[in-house]
Amino acid sequence: MLVSLKFNNAYIFSQETSFSLKADMRNKRLSSNVIETSVDSVLKSACIYGSNNSGKTCLVRIIRALWSVILSQPGDVTPNLFSNNSVVSISCVFIQDEKEWEYSFSLDTKTMEFIFERFARIDYDQYRNSKEIVYFERDFINQKFYTKDASLQPSIHLMGRKNILIHVVDVATLPYLEEARNVLMNFANRIVIVDMNNIPLDNTIMMLKNHDSLQKDIVSFIKNADLDLEDFKYEEKNLPFTLPEQKPSEDVIAMQIKQSFEDTLRLTSVYKGVPLPSLLFDSTGTKKIAALASYVVSALKKGLILVVDELDSSIHFKLTRSIVSMFNNELNDKAQLIFTAHDVSLMDCKKLFRKEQIWFVHKDEDGVYLYSLADFTAKDGVRDTTDIIEKYNRGVLGAIPDPDMIETLLQVKNDK
């Protein structure tokens, strides 16, 4: 589970910025939205709001950058385009195996060298005082090097900078580095990132082919979404339908990116006893729900961290709300959902979210800012019982666009 994320000079964010999923246990409301572990209390979900092109997707990309670095694919890391600084720094705190860990790195994107890296375990005593147990640190700027594996200490400063330490050293005889590798890899492999504007169906197709409990759960999810479907399945043989002559629409093309066209045609929706190819007869929203189903079911079943960009894209607001409620439910004790959205109906602190679960990205001439609704207090007129939607629409919380389309209309009329 992700506890917190810090980053500096990454994508649109030029200054050090923090994103937290740590629950404020002074607030007892909606306690089912919190996973309480032996080391920390963590939120099950978080929603990020903001105007178009403000930086919401950049937060998703930063999580992807962290994921890619741990899995030895650092090509996805991008510095702030408006600075002369090529160094991106990312730090995260997460829970794995009932222990809390912190991992940090700084990557010079010009040379593609890691100039700083640190991994530590965070222990707590009975009074909640924390203590860091450092497993390794490589600081090439300040020439500071340390490893808990004594046999590696004399040579750690000689290890290559082109990758993180767990991928440049044989960990077989290094127990602490081997543990660090296992912890980091397990954490990264639990992160799943989805873009709802380009979500592939291949994950759902693969699971529907397996005929196991996941397949049944996926079909149940799709049917319970109230799509007027009697059944949804993968047919072993193509249905007797031919494609129309015209080019497929853009949403069809997007759905075909990561799977064969033949497999896609075998996805079947059953309406009133009649099996029909989903690709040809279902709406864009229905196809997105079918694609999303496998990710949601897998996350809840396996305890994954599901990160979704624009969860509400082409999906009815009640269904989006239901998906969030699945993660917030007390029956979920290990999965997390982090998503961006525009649907203000989800901004509900009475029944759906705790204040610290709602985040905003605001951009102005001076920079880009990421902050939580919990930063607003009763002194600001924001309480758990406040009409948050009304406050947001009035611009009190920031992170809202101020379009002036009348200017465009006047220009269009005057350009006759």
Side-chain angles (χ1 to χ4, degrees):
M1 291 172 285
L2 182 64
V3 178
S4 63
L5 187 69
K6 288 184 180 180
F7 41 92
N8 191 8
N9 196 49
Y11 294 89
I12 201 168
F13 298 95
S14 59
Q15 304 298 322
E16 183 172 274
T17 306
S18 298
F19 174 68
S20 176
L21 284 161
K22 184 173 285 193
D24 182 359
M25 296 313 293
R26 294 172 299 179
N27 182 0
K28 302 302 180 183
R29 296 186 71 256
L30 298 176
S31 58
S32 64
N33 293 21
V34 178
I35 300 173
E36 295 192 55
T37 72
S38 58
V39 292
D40 225 328
S41 299
V42 186
L43 298 168
K44 296 179 180 180
S45 65
C47 178
I48 302 98
Y49 286 96
S51 58
N52 294 104
N53 205 34
S54 62
K56 301 187 303 298
T57 298
C58 286
L59 178 59
V60 174
R61 288 172 178 162
I62 289 166
I63 297 175
R64 182 184 292 278
L66 171 66
W67 170 86
S68 68
V69 163
I70 295 174
L71 294 181
S72 190
Q73 304 168 17
D76 289 335
V77 186
T78 303
N80 181 269
L81 301 177
F82 304 102
S83 74
N84 295 320
N85 185 2
S86 61
V87 177
V88 176
S89 298
I90 300 177
S91 174
C92 67
V93 176
F94 61 94
I95 295 174
Q96 180 77 31
D97 301 327
E98 289 296 315
K99 297 175 183 176
E100 194 163 89
W101 309 88
E102 182 173 20
Y103 178 64
S104 308
F105 69 83
S106 295
L107 174 66
D108 188 329
T109 57
K110 278 187 178 179
T111 62
M112 292 307 291
E113 292 184 338
F114 290 89
I115 60 175
F116 175 83
E117 187 183 10
R118 187 175 187 271
F119 180 79
R121 189 180 75 234
I122 305 172
D123 290 346
Y124 294 91
D125 63 20
Q126 59 181 327
Y127 304 107
R128 293 300 296 167
N129 297 312
S130 63
K131 178 184 178 181
E132 284 193 334
I133 310 298
V134 179
Y135 277 47
F136 65 81
E137 180 175 351
R138 298 197 298 166
D139 186 345
F140 291 95
I141 302 298
N142 298 306
Q143 291 296 297
K144 181 181 178 182
F145 302 96
Y146 169 78
T147 172
K148 200 167 173 61
D149 290 296
S151 62
L152 182 62
Q153 183 63 44
S155 58
I156 186 174
H157 65 289
L158 301 174
M159 299 297 109
R161 307 186 194 185
K162 293 293 185 179
N163 211 330
I164 61 176
L165 189 61
I166 62 171
H167 294 306
V168 297
V169 177
D170 183 355
V171 302
T173 60
L174 303 167
Y176 291 105
L177 191 58
E178 183 178 29
E179 183 182 10
R181 177 186 170 88
N182 291 338
V183 168
L184 284 168
M185 294 297 286
N186 286 337
F187 168 62
N189 284 323
R190 289 187 174 277
I191 298 174
V192 179
I193 302 172
V194 175
D195 179 0
M196 283 296 287
N197 291 315
N198 190 20
I199 181 170
L201 279 159
D202 58 327
N203 201 47
T204 293
I205 291 171
M206 178 188 67
M207 293 185 181
L208 289 178
K209 287 180 177 180
N210 289 337
H211 302 290
D212 56 14
S213 60
L214 275 177
Q215 179 219 25
K216 295 177 182 178
D217 293 338
I218 290 168
V219 173
S220 174
F221 178 98
I222 295 169
K223 290 169 67 176
N224 290 333
D226 192 25
L227 301 174
D228 197 31
L229 285 170
E230 292 178 6
D231 200 2
F232 190 85
K233 54 189 177 181
Y234 176 83
E235 292 283 6
E236 296 300 329
K237 296 182 179 180
N238 287 338
L239 292 172
F241 290 95
T242 57
L243 284 170
E245 292 295 328
Q246 67 268 26
K247 291 183 180 179
S249 60
E250 289 184 5
D251 67 283
V252 170
I253 294 172
M255 294 297 178
Q256 293 170 206
I257 289 177
K258 292 186 178 178
Q259 71 283 325
S260 72
F261 188 63
E262 183 176 306
D263 266 347
T264 309
L265 276 176
R266 290 178 179 177
L267 279 180
T268 304
S269 299
V270 181
Y271 296 93
K272 297 181 180 180
V274 179
L276 301 169
S278 174
L279 182 67
L280 302 180
F281 289 89
D282 285 335
S283 68
T284 299
T286 298
K287 289 195 279 284
K288 285 190 176 183
I289 291 166
L292 181 64
S294 58
Y295 293 101
V296 171
V297 169
S298 294
L300 291 168
K301 199 140 191 170
K302 300 176 182 178
L304 307 180
I305 303 167
L306 180 59
V307 183
V308 185
D309 195 12
E310 299 201 13
L311 177 63
D312 53 338
S313 174
S314 301
I315 296 181
H316 193 278
F317 76 91
K318 293 197 72 173
L319 179 54
T320 310
R321 188 184 181 98
S322 294
I323 292 171
V324 176
S325 296
M326 291 175 73
F327 283 85
N328 283 343
N329 194 282
E330 60 187 10
L331 295 176
N332 169 35
D333 59 359
K334 53 187 177 181
Q336 286 179 300
L337 173 66
I338 302 168
F339 67 99
T340 69
H342 292 284
D343 185 354
V344 295
S345 70
L346 299 173
M347 206 178 286
D348 180 358
C349 285
K350 297 178 182 178
K351 296 181 180 180
L352 190 62
F353 284 127
R354 296 161 63 96
K355 285 174 65 177
E356 65 265 37
Q357 289 179 280
I358 298 176
W359 287 76
F360 304 97
V361 178
H362 178 78
K363 182 170 69 172
D364 60 23
E365 293 181 357
D366 297 321
V368 180
Y369 313 94
L370 176 66
Y371 53 93
S372 169
L373 181 63
D375 294 336
F376 296 87
T377 65
K379 292 182 179 179
D380 305 306
V382 178
R383 299 176 175 83
D384 292 324
T385 55
T386 300
D387 186 341
I388 304 300
I389 298 174
E390 187 269 339
K391 290 278 187 184
Y392 180 65
N393 286 337
R394 286 202 294 115
V396 174
L397 307 177
I400 192 169
D402 185 21
D404 187 5
M405 294 306 184
I406 295 298
E407 288 294 324
T408 300
L409 177 60
L410 290 173
Q411 182 176 332
V412 169
K413 297 299 290 183
N414 290 332
D415 285 345
K416 287 184 177 181

